[in-house]
Amino acid sequence: MNIKRSVFIGHAAHCESEEKAKEFIREISRRFKDATHNCWAYKVNMNGVEKFNFSDAGEPHGSAGRPIFSAIESLNMTNIVVVVTRYFGGIKLGVRGLIDAYNSTARKTLEMGQKGKYCPGKRFSIEIDYSMWNTFIGKFAQGKDFNIVDVEYGTSVRATLTCKSENFKALADFFVERRIPIEELGRVVFVERL
């Protein structure tokens, strides 16, 4: 977003903890270390306790971090971190102009992002023939029952999938009944696309 020659760039990510939010903030700040400012806000729910924080990162007090946090709040989002990077263009915007610029950049960033419901899940891999893969795809809904992390089409289909913990038994049963080996790869956060 360009406002009076200043460039505002929004970045957002899902995060399950304050530490993950801070890692993302550090990553964006390193990537855009030549920027004038990397202002941020996050809101996470950790074991039923809501935690949030924000920073103006050198902008006038209350002109950046709080407006970014307001965008998160206005969209009723949780477990999210937003960093707005600013390259100063030589024209001062004033506090009101900064508030509007940071808020609208954060809001547009969040509105443009892929939304999802995050649930505890499992990650697993399979190798399956094409006809059985088509049966699987026809029986279960991608994005709801499972997600494809990686798929390789060769003489057979090799896929790494994720699913909600509650769906794992039904998916595993499908493969076990057909004598298809399934390799559990651990726990993950499953994203159900909205």
Side-chain angles (χ1 to χ4, degrees):
M1 210 166 132
N2 291 332
I3 301 170
K4 293 186 179 178
R5 296 197 323 225
S6 280
V7 177
F8 292 84
I9 305 166
H11 310 85
H14 171 78
C15 57
E16 293 286 323
S17 68
E18 284 188 288
E19 186 50 43
K20 290 288 183 191
K22 291 173 184 175
E23 283 176 23
F24 182 77
I25 294 162
R26 286 190 296 268
E27 174 191 326
I28 296 299
S29 297
R30 273 193 302 273
R31 193 179 333 158
F32 294 90
K33 64 183 174 203
D34 62 332
T36 314
H37 302 281
N38 285 294
C39 305
W40 52 266
Y42 65 80
K43 179 179 171 187
V44 296
N45 186 323
M46 297 173 60
N47 302 319
V49 177
E50 207 166 82
K51 300 200 175 208
F52 65 90
N53 201 352
F54 47 83
S55 171
D56 297 318
E59 291 282 29
H61 179 71
S63 66
R66 185 168 287 284
I68 296 168
F69 183 70
S70 293
I72 293 170
E73 288 284 274
S74 70
L75 294 170
N76 198 28
M77 298 181 108
T78 303
N79 292 346
I80 191 84
V81 57
V82 179
V83 180
V84 177
T85 299
R86 179 186 184 199
Y87 288 91
F88 181 60
I91 298 173
K92 293 189 177 190
L93 302 179
V95 173
R96 178 79 252 163
L98 289 171
I99 289 169
D100 292 343
Y102 279 103
N103 181 270
S104 63
T105 301
R107 188 174 181 86
K108 284 180 184 171
T109 300
L110 292 169
E111 287 173 343
M112 289 173 54
Q114 177 72 41
K115 309 296 184 296
K117 180 180 174 187
Y118 292 79
C119 316
K122 295 201 175 210
R123 181 181 176 111
F124 60 97
S125 66
I126 54 161
E127 185 171 349
I128 190 170
D129 67 44
Y130 282 89
S131 65
M132 200 56 64
W133 174 252
N134 290 335
T135 302
F136 171 72
I137 296 291
K139 182 173 173 96
F140 298 100
Q142 184 176 344
K144 185 175 182 207
D145 298 321
F146 71 96
N147 283 334
I148 298 172
V149 176
D150 186 39
V151 66
E152 195 179 294
Y153 298 102
T155 55
S156 61
V157 179
R158 289 181 164 172
T160 301
L161 309 173
T162 61
C163 69
K164 292 186 222 175
S165 294
E166 63 201 46
N167 291 352
F168 182 71
K169 182 174 177 356
L171 296 173
D173 286 350
F174 174 88
F175 297 116
V176 169
E177 287 168 6
R178 289 156 181 83
R179 294 188 175 93
I180 298 166
I182 181 170
E183 181 183 355
E184 286 190 58
L185 302 173
R187 301 177 69 76
V188 295
V189 175
F190 176 82
V191 182
E192 183 175 357
R193 303 293 177 205
L194 299 177

